[in-house]
Amino acid sequence: MTTAAGPADFHPTHVVPREGLPAWEEPDISRPTAALDPFLPVRLLSRRGEWGQILCANGWSAWVDGRLLVRVPEPPPAGGRPRVRAEDPLPLLAHTAEALERYRRAAGELASGRSGAEAFRSATRGLRAGIVIDGESVWLYEEASGRWTYGDGAGLVTYAVDEGPGAPAQPQRPEPEPSEPEPSGPEPSGPAGSGRTAPPAGHEPTRIVTPPEDGGG
């Protein structure tokens, strides 16, 4: 139990998603540690690519896939403009529309006979886009970060990611092997489930605990 003054001064910036999150001692998939509970409040300390260093209320720190953390909404500052809750969807919508238009033009040239298969391959090489629209909801693929985002017209939040943190960028992959992440250590796909590495000395992972109903301790 943590009774120090730390938790009272702890101001989380994110929470862990409902599925929980695997965690690592360092931004290295060969160094797993205890997994984080669903909906656990954490503070994001720093980012290193897809990695995010988080701090729990009891002072325990670890590295996680920062793309999957859910941002905590904050009230607007007094007398100021409201802070943005989520990403602006318009730039990614415009990028997706541009990729789709490039593919449409190339497909039209091929279908009309004005270009051949090699020209079609050249015109579409490197294109990657994804969009699903269902009424007010939209799912957009962001190639740069390898993630799917969900939006409601007002903002975007991360919905899913292609691969775990530290995986090589997709353009570097010569062969499609989705089941083989970057070979940095054994069993990279499930480090959290088997991660029994002791947490940093003096701290244990923060857990969400239901207190006894009688309030005794």
Side-chain angles (χ1 to χ4, degrees):
M1 296 183 182
T2 303
T3 57
D9 301 325
F10 181 73
H11 300 291
T13 59
H14 296 74
V15 295
V16 174
R18 69 174 65 246
E19 299 82 10
L21 270 185
W24 293 265
E25 293 182 7
E26 300 288 342
D28 179 350
I29 59 175
S30 68
R31 302 192 60 185
T33 184
L36 299 178
D37 286 345
F39 304 115
L40 181 71
V42 298
R43 183 170 185 82
L44 182 62
L45 299 178
S46 63
R47 294 292 297 264
R48 187 180 301 178
E50 296 108 347
W51 294 97
Q53 185 184 24
I54 56 92
L55 177 70
C56 295
N58 69 345
W60 187 76
S61 180
W63 290 82
V64 299
D65 189 337
R67 298 170 296 181
L68 298 176
L69 292 172
V70 180
R71 183 179 295 276
V72 174
E74 297 186 32
R81 295 185 302 172
R83 300 182 67 172
V84 177
R85 178 185 63 84
E87 298 173 56
D88 182 359
L90 296 183
L92 187 51
L93 280 167
H95 177 77
T96 303
E98 179 184 343
L100 179 61
E101 176 60 20
R102 283 179 57 190
Y103 190 93
R104 187 197 66 79
R105 288 198 305 266
E109 294 282 328
L110 180 65
S112 66
R114 292 194 296 271
S115 69
E118 184 58 36
F120 176 73
R121 282 192 292 269
S122 178
T124 58
R125 186 174 295 118
L127 276 182
R128 190 182 297 271
I131 182 169
V132 178
I133 298 177
D134 183 11
E136 66 180 17
S137 300
V138 62
W139 289 262
L140 293 168
Y141 182 71
E142 183 180 59
E143 180 186 1
S145 60
R147 62 175 181 150
W148 279 90
T149 61
Y150 169 77
D152 57 4
L156 292 176
V157 293
T158 300
Y159 180 77
V161 296
D162 282 348
E163 304 196 47
Q170 285 200 0
Q172 302 299 115
R173 277 178 184 256
E175 300 174 2
E177 296 179 352
S179 62
E180 186 148 332
E182 185 175 276
S184 298
E187 300 181 29
S189 60
S194 58
R196 291 182 169 80
T197 306
H203 295 289
E204 293 183 356
T206 302
R207 297 294 181 190
I208 298 177
V209 179
T210 303
E213 294 187 2
D214 60 5

